[in-house]
Amino acid sequence: MNNSSAGLRFKEAMEKNRPLQIAGAINANHALLATQAGFQALYLSGGGVAAGSLGIPDLGITNLEDILIDVNRITNVTDTPLLVDVDTGFGPSAFNVARTVKSLIKAGAAALHIEDQVGAKRCGHRPGKEVVSTDEMVDRIKAAVDARTDPNFLIGARTDALATEGIERTLDRVNKYQEAGADFIFAEAVHEIRLYAEFAKASGLPILANITEFGMTPLWTVAELHAAGVRLILYPLSAFRAANKAALKVYTHLLQDGSQQAVIADMQTREELYQSIGYYDFETKLDKLFKKT
C-alpha cells in the first residue's frame, strides 16, 4: 500500500486530470473495479451508504460509524484517493465535526464534503430542502479545517441553497465558505451549466459538478463541463444503480424461469472476480506458508 498522504494523492490527481472524474463506489469491490477501470479518485456517497449498506433512505439517519465501516473497507484494498460524503458533519457541535474529520483521516480518506442543509437533511434533488444560516455553515467549515491533522486533506463545502435562495445569495454563501477555509465548492442541483463559472468566480475555488442520474442536473459530458470551468466531476451512484437493476433482473429470472441461464451472459465470471480481487495471490501465499516438506 502507498504510505503517502491520501489527501496529497487526491491533489496530484486533480493536477493531472482537468477535470478529475470521480467514481462512486458503494463498497470495496466496486472501489477495486473503478480503480481497475482507470479512475484516479473514488467517492463514498452518504446516500449510497444509507441505501446500499443499510437499506434505508438518505434522510440523515446514518451516523459516523456507518460511514467509517465502508471507508475502512475501501481504503484497505485500494490506494486510489477517496472523497467521502459526511452530510452535515454527524452532530450539532464543532466537536462532532472535528471527530468526523479526524476519524476520516485516520481511516485513510483523502477528502470530505460537508453541506449546509439542516440536520434532518434530504436528498439534494428532492423538494423541501432547508439550509442553515450562512454563519452556521461557516462554523462547520471552520471546525473541519481546525480539526485537520493532515494539511493535504481536502475539505469541500457543499451548498444546497440554490434551490431555496437563488443564485445571488448562494454566490454570497460560497464566497464566505472560501473565506472559512473550504478547498473546493460542491454546488448541488445545478440546472444551468453556465452557473458553474459563476460559482468559480465567486469563490476562487475548484468547483465540483455532481452528475447524478434522474435528478435536477443534466448529464453533461466531460468536454462540456471542462469548458464550463469545472475541476471535479462526480458520478456518485451510477454503478450502484446499474448493479441494483441487474440484481433485480437476476432475481426475477430465477423465480420466473427456475434458472439463471437467461442472464448468465450478463454476469461477471468467476475468473473475472478472482482476477479483480487478487484471489490467486492469496492462494499462492497460502501454498507457500503451509507447503508440506
Side-chain angles (χ1 to χ4, degrees):
M1 300 293 283
N2 193 328
N3 291 323
S4 67
S5 161
L8 180 60
R9 296 199 299 276
F10 194 95
K11 287 181 177 179
E12 290 171 346
M14 285 184 65
E15 288 303 313
K16 293 177 183 176
N17 302 272
R18 291 177 176 248
L20 175 64
Q21 293 177 277
I22 307 172
I26 190 61
N27 54 39
N29 187 276
H30 281 199
L32 284 174
L33 292 173
T35 297
Q36 290 157 8
F39 278 90
Q40 302 297 299
L42 304 171
Y43 177 67
L44 183 63
S45 157
V49 171
S53 295
L54 300 174
I56 59 176
D58 182 24
L59 292 170
I61 306 169
T62 52
N63 58 41
L64 175 58
E65 295 306 313
D66 295 324
I67 297 292
L68 287 174
I69 289 170
D70 286 336
V71 170
N72 277 301
R73 287 172 174 170
I74 290 171
T75 59
N76 280 341
V77 298
T78 179
D79 289 327
T80 305
L82 178 68
L83 167 63
V84 181
D85 176 2
V86 301
D87 292 344
T88 61
F90 300 119
S93 79
F95 299 117
N96 295 114
V97 174
R99 179 171 180 258
T100 295
V101 172
K102 291 177 180 178
S103 297
L104 286 182
I105 294 172
K106 187 176 181 180
L112 64 77
H113 66 75
I114 188 168
E115 65 196 58
D116 56 12
Q117 283 201 55
V118 297
K121 59 154 289 176
R122 297 184 181 224
C123 169
H125 292 259
R126 294 290 301 158
K129 293 189 296 183
E130 294 182 54
V131 293
V132 298
S133 68
T134 300
D135 287 344
E136 184 170 343
M137 178 58 175
V138 163
D139 287 344
R140 289 176 184 174
I141 297 168
K142 287 181 176 179
V145 171
D146 180 67
R148 185 163 46 191
T149 55
D150 175 3
N152 288 306
F153 185 82
L154 284 85
I155 294 169
R158 167 176 152 173
T159 181
D160 285 78
L162 184 61
T164 58
E165 296 186 351
I167 184 61
E168 293 305 322
R169 290 179 65 186
T170 305
L171 292 176
D172 181 64
R173 277 179 175 266
V174 301
N175 176 260
K176 290 182 170 59
Y177 297 171
Q178 179 273 328
E179 292 175 350
D183 296 304
F184 64 89
I185 298 296
F186 176 164
E188 181 64 299
V190 172
H191 53 279
E192 295 180 72
I193 199 167
R194 65 175 181 83
L195 296 179
Y196 291 120
E198 295 193 39
F199 282 112
K201 182 179 179 181
S203 68
L205 294 174
I207 302 302
L208 181 148
N210 184 25
I211 308 301
T212 186
E213 303 82 15
F214 314 111
M216 299 175 66
T217 301
L219 303 183
W220 291 305
T221 66
V222 171
E224 290 170 328
L225 292 165
H226 178 62
V230 169
R231 288 287 305 280
L232 301 159
I233 306 174
L234 182 61
Y235 310 97
L237 292 170
S238 304
F240 176 59
R241 298 185 204 281
N244 286 347
K245 190 80 169 184
L248 182 59
K249 180 181 178 181
V250 169
Y251 296 144
T252 300
H253 275 282
L254 286 171
L255 285 175
Q256 289 183 351
D257 305 342
S259 169
Q260 63 271 61
Q261 292 177 13
V263 290
I264 197 75
D266 297 330
M267 294 184 186
Q268 182 189 51
T269 67
R270 183 184 300 273
E271 179 62 20
E272 288 168 339
L273 173 63
Y274 283 2
Q275 291 291 343
S276 175
I277 62 176
Y279 176 89
Y280 297 114
D281 292 335
F282 282 83
E283 197 172 65
T284 300
K285 180 74 171 180
L286 282 177
D287 291 342
K288 288 181 178 179
L289 280 173
F290 304 112
K291 184 177 181 181
K292 294 181 180 180
T293 57

